[in-house]
Amino acid sequence: MRSDEMKKGLARAPHRSLLYALGLTEEEIYRPIIGVVNSFNEVVPGHIHLRTISEAVKAGIRLAGGTPLEFPSIAVCDGIAMGHTGMKYSLGSRELIADSTEVMTLAHAFDALVLIPNCDKIIPGMLMAAARLDIPSIFVSGGPMLAGKWNGKALDLNSMFEAVGSYSAGKMTEQELVELEQKACPGCGSCSGMFTANSMNCLTEALGMSLPGSGTIPAIDSARIRLAKETGMQIMKLLQEDIRPSAIMTQKAFRNALILDMAMGGSSNTLLHLPAIANELGIKIDLKLAESVSAITPHLSKLAPSGTYHIEDFDAAGGVYALLGILDKLNLIDSTVMTVKGCPMKELFKPVLDDSVIRSKENAYSQVGGLAVLWGNLAKDGAVVKKAGVLPEMLTRKGRARVFDGEDPANEAILQGKIVPGDVVVIRYEGPKGGPGMREMLQATSAVQGAGLGDSVALITDGRFSGATRGASIGHISPEAAEGGVIGLVEEGDAIFIDIPNGKLELLVDEAVLEQRKKNWQQPKPKITKGYMAKYAGRVTSAAQGAVVIK
């Protein structure tokens, strides 16, 4: 056992003394020591209940003969951080989570890990750590929040951001806004649509790194407590058989996850996180692969924000392994891949219990995937859009550029009614380096939707959009403005052509004019000059590469 390095032999008597100081018995010390990585805090609704999940995990570990030792992970709530300086720190926290998990695990010689994430950057950060450490590891999330209810309508966090736009446009009263804000998020769990957190929890199942149901069982359901106990017991089997992440998260497993992503119309942010996780294993996942996968994958499940169903409905319909079963029958995935259950994926498939939530190929929303990759002179290295959330009339569009150097002035212009039908809102200098931190722009996209402009206004950015975003919102434009990308050369009134079905994003300006503009372009001054994000900005790579940090 790896933990023998710090607990066995005469020279380790001081170490054992410290373990006794924890209240451990001799028997507990000599059992396998399992690290339990818990992202509990009192800030994030998706994490407020994770002590309960952790206690269940630890009970399972003890039942199976291990000794659990818990340690924390930080967690940023993207909803609370949205629309202000705090959002600059969200994506960067992914690297901190991976690094700090690595430090705690290696410093204390844990034999294996159970990781308990539940929100946007925590899940990929912990997956990166598991891949990097490559010791037996398993995930169990805190589960999704239930949808809120108001006047017979299902609500989620996105409903609130769009309500702000509706109120600003005079389409909602202040009293209605107050009522909504008290009902949209009814309790603990990750926000209830197919946003980034739930997308990543579902993809963790598809990667084989969590037991079935981890991505979809509601946070308040007792089935989640049972799942957590089973997860604690299962880590002991993985340790006994020495099944490691590198044997599970293979090239085939990542392709399976991409296929699932396209079939369920997941968050565009997954195309930042999957490449970053794969990078830790020396596996290349890029936008070209995502594009090829999208072209062959039907869109079979359409959850909020793109549709009216929520994660609780997806779970009741059979969840991830029901959808994977359909994809297997279509010969789109490799179901022989290993999972943390200790068996191939094909042994875990479930029947579809509601074909209105999980559709057949014949009844698909689209015969291509829910995410699309765009290319052109505005995005030579690619850009990403959640096609599943785009209205048909916005799939192909030519519009007038309205240019903003940062999210804040763009939000102000939208809320003040300065954006009109036919505009293409360009938000730049918000990329990984330029932001720094590549802020999500749910406030901007929701304001457009709330103002009733979702069928006539597009947004493009070198930043990114929340998983809760819907509409013609194109993010991850690479190269970013701060690195001299063409998006930094766009001027007010330029014509921009968007063709999502054909993967095109073009600035309709002569090349000679762009060359002259480039000669006049100046490198912007850093927005943050000290602390963690200053260091991050100097080391982070392009969004097209997953915004990984160069070590």
Side-chain angles (χ1 to χ4, degrees):
M1 292 189 296
R2 294 170 188 80
S3 60
D4 288 349
E5 295 178 17
M6 59 85 174
K7 69 185 183 186
K8 273 199 170 182
L10 181 64
R12 297 298 184 249
H15 305 63
R16 292 192 295 274
S17 179
L18 291 168
L19 294 174
Y20 283 123
L22 297 176
L24 297 180
T25 65
E26 182 178 14
E27 181 180 355
E28 286 176 305
I29 290 172
Y30 284 104
R31 287 179 172 183
I33 304 229
I34 312 300
V36 178
V37 194
N38 186 3
S39 56
F40 163 82
N41 62 54
E42 295 182 345
V43 181
V44 188
H47 297 241
I48 191 69
H49 63 304
L50 293 189
R51 280 176 172 164
T52 302
I53 302 297
S54 177
E55 288 305 315
V57 165
K58 289 188 284 185
I61 292 170
R62 293 188 185 102
L63 280 169
T67 297
L69 292 179
E70 181 180 336
F71 64 90
S73 163
I74 65 167
V76 171
C77 178
D78 281 16
I80 295 174
M82 193 74 64
H84 59 89
T85 302
M87 182 47 74
K88 294 179 182 289
Y89 290 80
S90 175
L91 183 57
S93 74
R94 185 186 71 180
E95 318 303 317
L96 278 176
I97 291 161
D99 291 351
S100 60
T101 301
E102 173 196 354
V103 167
M104 288 294 290
T105 301
L106 295 181
H108 302 105
F110 292 121
D111 293 303
L113 292 177
V114 179
L115 303 105
I116 310 173
N118 211 36
C119 285
D120 294 27
K121 311 310 167 304
I122 300 85
I123 305 157
M126 287 187 182
L127 282 165
M128 289 166 67
R132 186 185 304 169
L133 292 162
D134 202 26
I135 63 173
S137 302
I138 191 171
F139 283 69
V140 59
S141 79
M145 183 186 295
L146 293 178
K149 298 290 189 294
W150 182 69
N151 287 348
K153 179 183 177 182
L155 302 173
D156 50 52
L157 179 64
N158 194 42
S159 307
M160 284 313 309
F161 280 98
E162 292 191 3
V164 172
S166 295
Y167 173 74
S168 299
K171 298 183 178 183
M172 178 178 286
T173 68
E174 185 175 355
Q175 180 58 37
E176 287 174 324
L177 187 65
V178 170
E179 288 181 21
L180 249 67
E181 70 184 52
Q182 294 176 1
K183 295 180 182 293
C185 299
C188 65
S190 50
C191 296
S192 59
M194 189 53 80
F195 311 148
T196 305
N198 291 327
S199 296
M200 286 306 305
N201 276 330
C202 289
L203 294 188
T204 302
E205 285 193 50
L207 283 170
M209 288 299 294
S210 62
L211 297 178
S214 179
T216 60
I217 296 171
I220 64 169
D221 196 320
S222 63
R224 184 155 292 279
I225 304 300
R226 297 193 295 274
L227 181 70
K229 289 178 182 177
E230 291 165 6
T231 299
M233 290 186 279
Q234 188 63 25
I235 191 60
M236 299 306 295
K237 294 180 181 178
L238 292 172
L239 177 60
Q240 183 179 3
E241 297 174 21
D242 196 28
I243 298 176
R244 307 184 188 197
S246 60
I248 296 172
M249 291 194 285
T250 61
Q251 180 82 46
K252 292 178 180 178
F254 278 103
R255 188 178 183 280
N256 286 348
L258 273 174
I259 293 279
L260 177 76
D261 202 10
M262 299 301 170
M264 69 183 187
S267 165
S268 59
N269 287 313
T270 57
L271 297 187
L272 279 176
H273 300 320
L274 286 176
I277 299 160
N279 180 67
E280 296 287 347
L281 292 159
I283 296 171
K284 184 177 180 181
I285 300 295
D286 58 19
L287 295 182
K288 287 288 186 183
L289 177 60
E291 182 180 41
S292 65
V293 160
S294 181
I296 62 172
T297 307
H299 182 203
L300 303 178
S301 184
K302 197 167 190 175
L303 306 184
S306 302
T308 56
Y309 297 113
H310 287 78
I311 295 292
E312 62 206 72
D313 304 306
F314 185 53
D315 181 66
V320 169
Y321 274 87
L323 181 50
L324 285 171
I326 293 179
L327 296 171
D328 183 56
K329 290 176 182 177
L330 296 174
N331 295 316
L332 289 172
I333 63 170
D334 186 329
S335 60
T336 67
V337 295
M338 179 58 68
T339 69
V340 289
K341 186 68 173 175
C343 65
M345 176 183 284
K346 62 185 176 182
E347 296 184 21
L348 302 175
F349 293 145
K350 296 180 179 181
V352 173
L353 301 177
D354 187 341
D355 60 11
S356 65
V357 178
I358 301 176
R359 295 187 174 189
S360 65
K361 185 179 190 295
E362 293 71 29
N363 195 32
Y365 291 99
S366 167
Q367 293 303 321
V368 295
L371 297 176
V373 179
L374 309 184
W375 312 89
N377 66 348
L378 255 176
K380 291 181 180 178
D381 295 338
V384 178
V385 61
K386 189 170 183 174
K387 181 182 177 182
V390 182
L391 292 172
E393 57 266 41
M394 292 298 293
L395 289 171
T396 303
R397 199 82 174 175
K398 185 167 83 168
R400 178 183 64 140
R402 303 297 307 281
V403 183
F404 301 93
D405 289 345
E407 178 191 8
D408 299 331
N411 289 340
E412 184 178 342
I414 296 166
L415 292 174
Q416 290 179 356
K418 295 179 180 178
I419 302 302
V420 299
D423 285 348
V424 177
V425 177
V426 179
I427 305 175
R428 62 193 184 188
Y429 297 107
E430 289 287 6
K433 290 181 180 293
M438 205 179 178
R439 285 198 285 185
E440 286 186 351
M441 316 244 177
L442 180 57
Q443 190 167 329
T445 58
S446 297
V448 166
Q449 295 294 331
L453 296 171
D455 61 353
S456 59
V457 169
L459 295 93
I460 69 171
T461 183
D462 54 6
R464 58 197 177 94
F465 293 113
S466 166
T469 290
R470 61 190 177 102
S473 303
I474 300 164
H476 306 199
I477 289 177
S478 302
E480 62 176 289
E483 289 196 301
V486 172
I487 189 173
L489 306 180
V490 181
E491 293 187 357
E492 191 81 5
D494 283 350
I496 292 175
F497 178 62
I498 299 167
D499 184 356
I500 294 172
N502 291 303
K504 300 291 184 183
L505 182 62
E506 296 282 349
L507 176 63
L508 303 180
V509 173
D510 287 343
E511 193 63 35
V513 174
L514 289 179
E515 283 298 322
Q516 186 57 49
R517 290 181 186 179
K518 192 164 188 175
K519 290 177 183 178
N520 298 329
W521 179 80
Q522 294 183 341
Q523 182 77 35
K525 293 180 180 179
K527 296 176 185 175
I528 296 178
T529 57
K530 62 181 180 180
Y532 174 68
M533 289 309 295
K535 291 185 287 186
Y536 176 89
R539 296 165 56 202
V540 69
T541 62
S542 163
Q545 298 172 274
V548 297
V549 167
I550 299 171
K551 302 299 181 184

